[in-house]
Amino acid sequence: MTELKVMFLNAHLFYGTTAAFFSRGLVGNDMARARAICALVQREQPAVFGLAEVWGGPPRALITSTLAAHYNSWTPGSAMWWGVGMGSGLLLLTRKPLVPEDCQFTPFKELSGWDAWSCKGVASATVGGIRVLVTHTQAGASCRNATGSSLAASGTPLKCRKENLIKILGDIPAHESVPALLMGDFNISELSLDFAQRTQQYIRMSALFDCEHLVDAFRAVRPLACADAAALSAVPDEPDLFITNDAVRNELVRTFGNKRRTDRTRLDYIFVRGLRTVRAEVLSGAGVDDVPVGATGGKHTSVSDHQPVLCVFSTTP
């Protein structure tokens, strides 16, 4: 069996951007975290690694140069903020060559708030016969409530995110025979706050991608074990398997803006078509949550306010 290991991370690296100059709270140990991301890649050795929120030039240069011996890199999207540092925030690293003529970036025209100052979009490239897409959709306007049914249909960020998803759909190869991987921070929670139900946003996103035969790789091998809050409370470790943005355990989530210390959600996904998912997990622990802060190393932080997502696929029928 031939396997393909794929990893995704929203890195939250703002050091060197105009935004960070005006808002110091956006930066937190960025260069040390960039080095830790490189160490994580060298340990896991994914064939494909997609990143979002690599906004700053210095951390992006550190990652690409450190991994240049084994990875080809592509930073799609133009710089914004008068040419200083924002761009799309996306970065694609692959062990296989990237053909420039085959790399495509589609910017989102529908963005609101701070996101309107960026060049968010969807990047796509062919890697070893597989069409790989990396994206980061409109942030804001959480859809989560106790019942998991809220879509907050009138919210501008939600309207923008809906248009972002439609734009992504247009870049997925139309022929079902073409294997595809779509990864990113979609800013859509899978479950309600009490983990009792799937949110309407997740249901609609999944249905949209299902039109192109893309499925949630994580749920392909880890079907949701609990259908209601009572059942979930009987298996307390179940959320730990899929949470990618955890304000309870990851202090960077609170440092970078989420002050609600109880929020735990899944925002980062890898969707797949034409490949069999062998393994899917959210990485934590050594090499992920123990990045030294400062020269003394007495304090530690995580590689990002999001946890890395890792999947292994079989490329043989």
Side-chain angles (χ1 to χ4, degrees):
M1 179 177 67
T2 304
E3 292 187 345
L4 178 74
K5 184 183 283 190
V6 178
M7 192 161 70
F8 173 79
L9 173 66
N10 178 325
H12 195 103
L13 295 170
F14 277 81
Y15 178 71
T17 65
T18 303
F21 178 81
F22 289 106
S23 180
R24 303 291 183 182
L26 292 173
V27 176
N29 212 35
D30 282 30
M31 297 306 286
R33 291 193 294 108
R35 286 189 289 272
I37 289 170
C38 293
L40 179 63
V41 171
Q42 290 164 339
R43 184 188 81 184
E44 296 293 340
Q45 297 187 16
V48 180
F49 183 29
L51 298 98
E53 290 204 11
V54 186
W55 302 112
R60 180 172 57 247
L62 189 154
I63 291 171
T64 55
S65 62
T66 301
L67 300 175
H70 300 288
Y71 287 89
N72 300 287
S73 63
W74 175 41
T75 303
S78 60
M80 300 293 285
W81 286 66
W82 302 281
V84 183
M86 290 300 288
S88 71
L90 301 176
L91 176 61
L92 177 63
L93 300 167
T94 77
R95 287 186 172 273
K96 292 184 179 292
L98 288 166
V99 180
E101 295 77 13
D102 185 54
C103 296
Q104 174 182 330
F105 177 71
T106 302
F108 295 147
K109 294 181 180 179
E110 305 81 6
L111 294 169
S112 67
W114 285 101
D115 280 6
W117 290 97
S118 75
C119 190
K120 280 186 172 182
V122 55
S124 56
T126 300
V127 180
I130 301 167
R131 196 62 178 173
V132 175
L133 299 93
V134 186
T135 192
H136 185 197
T137 67
Q138 172 71 50
S142 173
C143 65
R144 306 174 76 204
N145 65 12
T147 65
S149 60
S150 172
L151 185 61
S154 63
T156 298
L158 295 178
K159 288 182 178 179
C160 289
R161 190 153 52 243
K162 178 182 176 181
E163 294 302 318
N164 297 166
L165 295 176
I166 293 172
K167 188 78 75 174
I168 292 168
L169 197 66
D171 277 12
I172 298 168
H175 295 290
E176 183 185 349
S177 60
V178 179
L181 291 168
L182 167 62
M183 67 186 84
D185 174 0
F186 290 84
N187 278 303
I188 290 176
S189 297
E190 178 188 16
L191 298 175
S192 56
L193 286 169
D194 59 2
F195 300 112
Q197 298 182 45
R198 283 194 167 97
T199 65
Q200 286 300 311
Q201 276 204 73
Y202 176 83
I203 291 170
R204 295 182 186 191
M205 174 177 70
S206 298
L208 192 66
F209 293 150
D210 185 59
C211 294
E212 295 296 340
H213 307 281
L214 284 156
V215 299
D216 184 343
F218 196 90
R219 291 303 172 207
V221 293
R222 293 182 181 274
L224 194 60
C226 304
D228 56 65
L232 192 59
S233 64
V235 192
D237 291 336
E238 172 70 13
D240 297 337
L241 298 176
F242 58 81
I243 297 299
T244 66
N245 191 246
D246 192 343
V248 174
R249 300 187 179 185
N250 187 332
E251 68 176 26
L252 289 181
V253 179
R254 303 189 298 273
T255 300
F256 294 146
N258 188 338
K259 306 304 181 185
R260 295 177 296 186
R261 295 174 177 267
T262 58
D263 272 12
R264 310 181 72 205
T265 187
R266 179 179 179 226
L267 300 173
D268 309 271
Y269 304 87
I270 298 177
F271 291 87
V272 60
R273 178 178 78 187
L275 305 171
R276 182 169 61 87
T277 308
V278 177
R279 175 178 146 214
E281 61 182 302
V282 175
L283 300 181
S284 61
V288 176
D289 301 311
D290 55 359
V291 181
V293 175
T296 62
K299 184 178 174 170
H300 295 81
T301 187
S302 299
V303 292
S304 178
D305 57 340
H306 290 240
Q307 303 298 120
V309 179
L310 185 145
C311 290
V312 177
F313 302 99
S314 171
T315 59
T316 55

